[in-house]
Every structure is written in structure tokens, then in C-alpha cells.
Amino acid sequence: MTNVREAALDVIEKINKNQAYSNLLLNETINKHKLIRKDIGLLTEIVYGTIQRQKTLDFYLDDFLTNRKKIQPWVISLLHLSLYQMIYLDRVPDRAVIHEAVEIAKKRGHKGITGMVNGVLRNVQRKGLKDFSSISDSAERVSIEKSHPLWLVKRWIEQFGLAETEAMCEENLQAPYVTARVNTMKTTVEQVLHELSEAGLDVIKGDLSEDAIKVIQGHLIETDVYKSGEVTIQDESSMLVARALDVESGQAILDACAAPGGKTTHIAERLQGEGYVQSLDLHEHKIKLIKKQAERLGLTNVEAMALDSRLVTDKFEENSFDRVLVDAPCTGFGVLRRKPDIKWSKKPEDVERITSVQWGILDSQASLVKPGGKLVYSTCTIEEAENQEIVAAFLKDHPEFSMDNTMIERLPNGVEPYVDGGELQLLPHYFGTDGFYIATLIKDS
């Protein structure tokens, strides 16, 4: 058990020190230590939970630390992950958590550190934790209680109001389910549910997308269903993009920012073997991922190449595509459940910086859309500056495009309150999905 917590401490330290991606570090650590499934679950829960609740844990610890500035960062991380287990993990006894923390402190530090770690955690156990009622400012309370940066909470309150912001921040703290899209070229949702149940997984239909399943318990990627290409792991909100694109058999479609290939393969499936998807990504190693996905799913109508999508007019002629998708790089504020480190590494200036990239990509695609064709812009963020403002600026510069108000006809029931003309904005707490934005534009014929 000590090894799991030591591994968790190493991962958390690297995330805090190097702003490394939690999901990549976790996979690397699991492979390095050859952890068994039970330990993988504990490691994942401790790492994600500690990173998610970092600001709340700091609030609790402040009462028990006299001179925090003199304490080494790894010791703070050890206290964080120990406190997280004591507060949020019912199945781990406090005495076991404290014992493990003391043992790690002995191995990594000196006698004084060991005593301090032991003393702080036992004081927490004895005295209990303060509540949030002492925080009078609403934004600050949400920031601390729901563990989000204050600048981000204030920004969201301006955009969505206090109630929506608080609900969204609470949703971001919840562990996400694995969801998957059924490859309807090969099978049906009902058949996949049956096969996975037979394999011992607890699975149900998705909440939002008609071809989605949700894994309540079990390891999907280890099943024959996954390996044979009957499903693709994808969030349900992301599954709406191919529907918004209004794919028709025989079309030529460009996916301008395609990696890792979830939307590309969904489009290819909806083409039913007729027409093709041209997928682009800046990096060659990500192109290999797209090709690997297409091969696993048995799709032969995907063409992938490495190309900066801002340079598409150097490669493709005007009016080359019936449909163009720009699933733009973004701040990722819609996926904080899955990537909690994002909220601590991003700064306000990152929003402004990414919008220039988004604009450059979207602007470059305009001439490639055939008259009468459609252009979809999507992101996994909730920021107006990256979403509605980008699309408004594009429409102003490109009067040959207008909003496609028929998009709602292609989307599932239940999303109507969140659609405004040709735009859809989902916040994470609406359906328990990623926060996601989709805009569908049509080019005048």
C-alpha cells in the first residue's frame, strides 16, 4: 500500500512542479510499477481527487500549519493526499492513512518532518475541520469550497451567474463515467450492451446521444467488444458534433483538427462507406493514432495527414469539401472532471492567446467549403471568448456564411433550452457530460 501512496506523491509532485498532464503521468506510472487493478483504482482516485480538491485542502490545512513557506513542496503534497483520503475516502481508516504518511516522511525526510506530518494529521483527526461559513464573499466561497481558481470563478459568474457557476464547479469535482460510441456499421447499442454485460461489465444506455453507452463498472478497453472495433471511447457531448455537421453519404468532409480521431471516425461511420473524411493534425504521431483508430473500427474512408490547419489553402483548392469541421484547440475548461490539472495551470492570458489560434484556423477554412456546404466550429470549453465571440467575428468577416438554424433538428431531445439558433452550449452539470460548444454555419449557394 505504501508503494501506491508513494507513487501518488511522485505523480502529484510532477504535476505541480512541471505542469505535466495528469492522465499521461498516471499511465506512465501504472506501466512503470506494473500495478494490479485494485492499486490502479486507488492511485487514480488519490491523484485525481487530490489535484481536484487542492484549494479546499489548503483551506483546511491552513489552521494546522504555522509557517507554511518553510515547508518543502513534497511535504505539502503528502499532507494534501493524506488529508484527501481522510476526508473523502470512507473505506480507508484514518490510522492507516496517517501511518502510511509517516512512513513516507521517514523515507524521504528527516525526524522533524516526520513529527510534523504525524502531528498535523493527528490534529486534524482530533480537532476536525472548519466550515466555509466564515467566507463572506460569494466568489471566494465557491472558489475554496468547490476548489477552483478565484479568477476563473469570477469570470464564470460574470458569464453564467453565481448559481450556474456553483453547480458547474460542483460537477467538475465528480468522477466522470467512461462513455463510448457504438459503431453502428458493425453492431447495435442493444447488442453491445448484451455483450458487455456477458463479459461482466455494468453498462447502461447513454443519457444524451442515441448511440452512446455508459460504463458504470468495468474496464471497457480490455474487452473483445472494444478490441474488435464495436465501440469508441468518446464523451456524449462530443458525439453531437457529427450530427450537427449534417453528414450525408457520399460527401467529402474535412476534419481540420482531428486527433485523436473520435469525431473523424464518427463522421466516417455516418458516411456508411460512401465518400471520405480528410483528417488533419499538426503532429505526425497523432496522425498515427487516427489511422490506428480507423483501422480498429474497420473504416476505409479516412485519409489522414500531418498539416497545420491554418495552411490548408496551400494544399486544397477552393470549394473542395461539402462539410468542414473545426474542432479547435482550446483552454479545455469543459473537461476539468477528466483533466483537473488544467484549472491550476491555466492563466487569464491563456484564454486570449488561444483565441488568436482558433481564429486563424477557422478563418483559413472558409474558402474550402462548397457553396451550400456547412462549416462546424466546436470546442470542449465554456468560454464565450473562445466560442460565441469567435463565431460572431467570423460571420462579420465572412458574410457568405450564416447560422444554420436547422441544427436543432439533428440534435437529441433535451438540448433545446441550450440551443440558440445555430449554436449549442452545454455546461457540465446539464447532462453530466463535458462542457461543449457547437456552432453550425452554412455557406450561401
Side-chain angles (χ1 to χ4, degrees), residues 13 32 80 98 164 179 196 230 309 311 366 383-384 407 409 445:
E13 271 199 282
K32 177 183 174 182
H80 275 167
I98 295 171
E164 289 277 57
T179 54
L196 290 175
E230 292 181 44
S309 50
L311 305 176
E383 280 291 320
E384 290 179 1
M407 180 180 72
E409 299 169 9
S445 52

Side-chain angles (χ1 to χ4, degrees), residues 230-429:
E230 292 181 44
V231 294
T232 298
I233 293 175
Q234 188 180 20
D235 189 77
E236 287 195 66
S237 59
S238 178
M239 296 179 203
L240 305 185
V241 172
R243 289 181 173 79
L245 199 58
D246 196 16
V247 175
E248 296 177 10
S249 182
Q251 289 178 331
I253 299 178
L254 175 67
D255 187 351
C257 310
K263 298 176 190 68
T264 279
T265 53
H266 195 191
I267 293 165
E269 288 167 14
R270 293 179 74 84
L271 284 171
Q272 294 291 309
E274 300 292 330
Y276 74 100
V277 189
Q278 176 67 67
S279 299
L280 308 178
D281 194 87
L282 189 58
H283 304 288
E284 188 64 52
H285 70 277
K286 291 186 177 180
I287 293 300
K288 290 178 182 176
L289 288 177
I290 297 169
K291 290 179 177 178
K292 191 174 179 181
Q293 276 272 56
E295 185 178 346
R296 182 180 64 83
L297 295 167
L299 300 169
T300 58
N301 56 342
V302 173
E303 300 175 14
M305 71 167 71
L307 182 70
D308 186 331
S309 50
R310 289 168 292 191
L311 305 176
V312 285
T313 53
D314 295 343
K315 185 72 179 177
F316 303 104
E317 296 181 1
E318 289 186 6
N319 306 326
S320 292
F321 297 97
D322 300 285
R323 303 284 187 268
V324 173
L325 169 61
V326 176
D327 185 53
C330 66
T331 52
F333 289 144
V335 295
L336 297 185
R337 294 178 309 155
R338 303 180 191 281
K339 300 177 180 178
D341 41 288
I342 288 176
K343 64 185 175 186
W344 307 122
S345 62
K346 297 293 184 186
K347 300 289 185 290
E349 54 268 26
D350 291 324
V351 178
E352 310 310 320
R353 191 178 298 121
I354 198 69
T355 55
S356 65
V357 176
Q358 293 164 337
W359 168 256
I361 294 172
L362 185 59
D363 182 56
S364 300
Q365 313 308 310
S367 66
L368 301 186
V369 183
K370 291 179 181 178
K374 293 180 181 179
L375 170 63
V376 165
Y377 175 80
S378 64
T379 73
C380 59
T381 193
I382 59 171
E383 280 291 320
E384 290 179 1
E386 300 179 67
N387 296 335
Q388 291 89 344
E389 291 178 18
I390 289 285
V391 170
F394 178 84
L395 289 173
K396 186 176 179 182
D397 264 34
H398 294 276
E400 71 275 21
F401 283 87
S402 58
M403 283 289 185
D404 177 16
N405 294 322
T406 68
M407 180 180 72
I408 185 64
E409 299 169 9
R410 304 186 289 277
L411 298 180
N413 293 332
V415 303
E416 293 87 355
Y418 315 115
V419 175
D420 182 10
E423 296 176 284
L424 168 69
Q425 178 69 75
L426 295 179
L427 301 185
H429 59 288

Side-chain angles (χ1 to χ4, degrees), residues 161-193:
L162 177 62
E164 289 277 57
T165 298
E166 189 162 9
M168 180 162 52
C169 289
E170 175 62 30
E171 183 67 32
N172 287 340
L173 296 176
Q174 308 310 310
Y177 288 107
V178 171
T179 54
R181 185 189 78 241
V182 173
N183 182 356
T184 53
M185 288 189 69
K186 287 192 169 190
T187 185
T188 64
V189 172
E190 288 71 21
Q191 182 62 28
V192 165
L193 289 173

